[in-house]
Amino acid sequence: MKKRILLLEDDHILAETIEELLEMEGYIVSVTHDGDEASILSYEEKFDLYIFDINVPEIDGFDLLESLRNAQDETPTIFISAMTGMEEIAKAYELGCYDYLKKPFHLPQLLLHIQKIDQLLGIRDKQHIRLSQRYSFDKASETLLFDKKPVPLTKRQMQIVKLLATHQGNVVDFEMLRHYVWDDAIIDNATIRAEVSRLKKGLKEDFIVNIRGVGYRIDRN
């Protein structure tokens, strides 16, 4: 799956150059030239990485990242800026940026910074099973996540999610559900279907596939 990047840069020539470079590397890039537009896009679309200049029209990069973090948006962020003072750099990291690249820079430097973040997140992602565009399952904490935030579920619903997630791509039949979730209790398939139906109704994306008469499956993403 191609990664999506939101680039905020008011220098149109630099923005176009960065966009071309990143698209050549296989990324999908959305370019904005002011903080207000970037803020709107960040709420309308899902991105894997933000690249923000700081001194931009409307909302500056600092205020934009602060508002995103306050809204529980933890998308990795790189600042690219001509501001080189330690005070500004310290503020950037305090607000929650992952990296800070001082202008002027060589374009391959930006790629190296992005690759470093990709490697960091790749290590972290090994603990996560992607279930859909916005849902994932954290194997370490046995938690369902929506946009990286925990989803409250009943114990039984979590057991269902865990069983389906750890068997992703394969059908989990009623017997497996009866054994793992209900401890081999004598219950009929209708009871299992009702519990799965309640679980699915609480989800914002429907990633649990009903295999008629057999069981359920979560497809690989």
Side-chain angles (χ1 to χ4, degrees), residues 10 34 49 76 90 127 136 145 150 179-182 197 207 213 218:
D10 65 339
D34 67 70
L49 178 68
Q127 294 297 322
S136 61
L145 304 174
H179 171 70
Y180 182 82
V181 180
W182 278 268
S197 178
F207 54 83
I218 296 177

Side-chain angles (χ1 to χ4, degrees), residues 8-188:
L8 169 59
E9 172 56 67
D10 65 339
D11 182 327
H12 287 239
I13 295 176
L14 178 58
E16 184 177 341
T17 303
I18 293 174
E19 179 184 17
E20 289 177 358
L21 172 73
L22 295 179
E23 288 183 343
M24 286 177 59
E25 292 294 322
Y27 296 100
I28 300 172
V29 184
S30 296
V31 179
T32 64
H33 303 296
D34 67 70
D36 189 46
E37 185 183 6
S39 178
I40 293 170
L41 270 177
S42 71
Y43 284 98
E44 290 181 345
E45 301 181 31
K46 174 69 175 173
F47 294 95
D48 300 292
L49 178 68
Y50 296 142
I51 301 175
F52 292 163
D53 191 3
I54 296 172
N55 286 326
V56 293
E58 305 301 335
I59 305 172
D60 70 35
F62 283 153
D63 288 343
L64 175 58
L65 183 59
E66 184 174 18
S67 68
L68 290 170
R69 293 299 188 249
N70 287 338
Q72 308 304 311
D73 185 340
E74 299 298 327
T75 302
T77 303
I78 297 175
F79 276 125
I80 52 174
S81 176
M83 301 172 68
T84 59
M86 285 306 301
E87 184 176 332
E88 289 82 10
I89 295 173
K91 181 178 181 180
Y93 282 103
E94 286 171 6
L95 290 173
C97 82
Y98 275 52
D99 215 337
Y100 193 104
L101 190 55
K102 301 175 185 177
K103 293 180 180 179
F105 55 84
H106 296 292
L107 288 177
Q109 284 182 268
L110 178 58
L111 280 178
L112 289 174
H113 284 248
I114 294 173
Q115 289 165 3
K116 183 174 74 173
I117 290 176
D118 282 346
Q119 289 172 354
L120 174 65
L121 296 179
I123 294 170
R124 189 176 302 169
D125 283 347
K126 290 180 181 179
Q127 294 297 322
H128 292 76
I129 302 171
R130 182 180 289 274
L131 306 179
S132 65
Q133 183 177 358
R134 303 177 72 180
Y135 278 101
S136 61
F137 180 73
D138 185 336
K139 292 187 289 184
S141 62
E142 297 188 356
T143 305
L144 179 66
L145 304 174
F146 180 76
D147 286 346
K148 302 179 183 179
K149 295 187 285 290
V151 177
L153 296 176
T154 67
K155 180 180 178 182
R156 184 158 285 162
Q157 288 173 343
M158 186 57 70
Q159 287 175 318
I160 292 171
V161 171
K162 179 183 176 182
L163 182 62
L164 291 170
T166 53
H167 290 79
Q168 189 176 28
N170 298 310
V171 176
V172 173
D173 62 26
F174 289 110
E175 284 304 314
M176 291 176 67
L177 285 160
R178 191 174 289 109
H179 171 70
Y180 182 82
V181 180
W182 278 268
D183 295 324
D184 290 321
I186 301 175
I187 58 167
D188 57 18

